[in-house]
Amino acid sequence: MIQPQLVVGAAICEGEKVLAAARSYPPELAGLWEFPGGKVEPGESEAEALRRECREELGVEIAIGERVGGDLVTGDSRFLLRVYRAALRGGEPEALEHAGLRWLAADELDDVPWLPGNRPVLAALRELL
């Protein structure tokens, strides 16, 4: 059995809002929303990967907090997603690799079409906001 690729996502919270990012690629996922992040590279910790991805995708430095929700198997079981709460420590988020960014309050989380793999985290996130 093939092990799923470990991916990490950042639920970047500011006040009572969380940052959501709209995918620009691949075409079948474009327009769906996610928590910024990406693949954990060999030899990299989950925290290191999350900080690197947020620098690359958003141009920001983050501080990483506790996990939000449990392990999520996504992408036809190809990926194992772990989402962490995070806070901005430097920079202003820019959509460097995404089609757009939005700050969402707890009652706005259902206003965007989330990637199916990110959706299970929303209930736990609502309680944090």
Side-chain angles (χ1 to χ4, degrees):
M1 185 172 148
I2 298 171
Q3 286 287 83
Q5 165 78 52
L6 181 59
V7 293
V8 288
I12 301 172
C13 298
E14 185 100 337
E16 295 183 357
K17 295 192 173 195
V18 67
L19 187 66
R23 296 283 310 229
S24 54
Y25 64 88
E28 64 273 14
L29 300 178
L32 295 177
W33 292 73
E34 67 178 356
F35 298 107
K39 295 176 182 166
V40 178
E41 301 295 340
E44 196 174 44
S45 73
E46 292 177 30
E48 289 167 340
L50 209 46
R51 284 193 285 271
R52 175 184 52 75
E53 289 285 352
C54 286
R55 274 193 299 273
E56 291 172 1
E57 294 182 4
L58 304 171
V60 298
E61 295 296 328
I62 59 168
I64 301 166
E66 72 277 7
R67 289 264 310 270
V68 180
D71 285 356
L72 304 168
V73 179
T74 69
D76 297 328
S77 300
R78 289 175 307 161
F79 302 107
L80 174 67
L81 171 64
R82 293 182 175 155
V83 177
Y84 289 86
R85 185 174 183 155
L88 289 175
R89 286 289 174 257
E92 205 46 50
E94 293 179 66
L96 301 175
E97 295 184 9
H98 290 91
L101 301 174
R102 260 180 83 179
W103 290 99
L104 301 171
D107 63 351
E108 298 172 317
L109 289 174
D110 294 325
D111 290 359
V112 298
W114 289 90
L115 281 172
N118 284 227
R119 228 174 270 134
V121 174
L122 298 180
L125 188 58
R126 251 183 212 98
E127 295 175 18
L128 294 176
L129 295 177

